[in-house]
Amino acid sequence: MHTAHRLTAAATLAGAAALGLTGCLNKPSQPFPGASAPKVLNESVTALRGASSFTVSGKTVTEGVATHVNLSISKTGECTGTMSFTEGMVKVVRTHDHVFLQGDEAYARAWTKDLPEEDVEQAVKDATTRWMRKKPSDPALKGLTSLCDRDGMLKAFYSFSGDAVESGPAEAAGRKAVSIVAAKHVFLVATQGEPYLLKVTKAGPEGIDLAYTGINQPVQVDVPGEQDVYDVD
């Protein structure tokens, strides 16, 4: 179905943008005596990966176009939330076996505008009132499933090393943090309780602004019923 491929295109871009982080770190961190900046970052990633769940929210920018995400992700693989684009929004539900996507009317019309006129209304109706169901392994969903994969999202941070500086105390979502700057990225790491990674930002045309909240909060995944889904090969 043409609509299915259109519905997954923007989601793939969002995942790629969120995973495209590069940079380097190195300098003793006062809130973590004796720990270098790389060690602080690695421990913050390890702590977040060890949480039972978290919510990633904010935006990524690809070629100057922003994608807003709000996804709750569990350690056991469930993922649910929304992704918003210049033209509309898509709801996402991921289980171990399937990914479900449903767009709003603005998004559906934007991605069906090149279809034959006689096919558009039915395509829009399907895309907005039912859920497209696909396998998580589908290549068309690579960006999306990577964003919903906590390890896939976070493991890149372990490779950061080299020339970074700590820029001082900060705050994220009401929590005290330390700010570490490297390769135009800013990382906020919690300094009280577990040293969770709380926020990552980078300015510019390929920028990101992602916050990690809802740590260890239950993730409610509402799987659509069979009567509300349609499968796509």
Side-chain angles (χ1 to χ4, degrees):
M1 173 182 287
H2 292 289
T3 306
H5 297 296
R6 296 170 186 275
L7 284 170
T8 59
T12 300
L13 288 177
L19 293 171
L21 305 176
T22 57
C24 45
L25 297 169
N26 190 15
K27 187 183 177 181
S29 174
Q30 293 303 316
F32 303 95
S36 65
K39 182 175 177 62
V40 171
L41 179 65
N42 287 347
E43 288 184 352
S44 74
V45 175
T46 297
L48 192 57
R49 289 179 70 189
S52 62
S53 64
F54 60 79
T55 295
V56 56
S57 59
K59 70 176 181 178
T60 66
V61 183
T62 303
E63 298 180 356
V65 179
T67 297
H68 295 263
V69 300
N70 190 329
L71 296 169
S72 295
I73 306 167
S74 77
K75 188 174 185 178
T76 52
E78 293 83 11
C79 177
T80 185
T82 61
M83 303 179 73
S84 300
F85 313 95
T86 303
E87 297 176 305
M89 175 271 294
V90 175
K91 293 185 287 187
V92 180
V93 173
R94 180 190 175 186
T95 66
H96 294 289
D97 301 319
H98 297 102
V99 175
F100 302 87
L101 300 173
Q102 184 184 85
D104 65 5
E105 183 170 353
Y107 184 81
R109 289 197 179 280
W111 290 92
T112 58
K113 62 185 178 182
D114 295 329
L115 292 180
E117 185 175 348
E118 62 272 18
D119 296 336
V120 170
E121 291 308 315
Q122 185 60 50
V124 168
K125 181 178 179 181
D126 286 341
T128 57
T129 63
R130 304 173 69 197
W131 293 79
M132 179 182 68
R133 178 169 58 187
K134 295 177 74 69
K135 291 289 187 181
S137 57
D138 191 313
L141 294 175
K142 183 177 180 180
L144 174 61
T145 54
S146 294
L147 193 58
C148 275
D149 177 0
R150 59 195 288 125
D151 287 338
M153 181 195 305
L154 297 172
K155 66 181 180 181
F157 292 122
Y158 287 123
S159 64
F160 285 65
S161 62
D163 218 8
V165 295
E166 177 190 317
S167 66
E171 186 175 296
R175 301 186 62 172
K176 291 184 178 180
V178 62
S179 175
I180 298 173
V181 181
K184 300 181 180 179
H185 290 79
V186 178
F187 305 87
L188 301 188
V189 177
T191 56
Q192 294 180 318
E194 289 291 319
Y196 293 119
L197 177 63
L198 301 178
K199 193 175 181 67
V200 182
T201 58
K202 177 188 176 186
E206 300 296 318
I208 62 170
D209 185 348
L210 296 175
Y212 301 97
T213 60
I215 299 172
N216 292 320
Q217 297 301 308
V219 175
Q220 180 65 43
V221 177
D222 296 319
V223 180
E226 283 295 322
Q227 71 278 9
D228 297 321
V229 304
Y230 59 98
D231 293 306
V232 178
D233 294 330

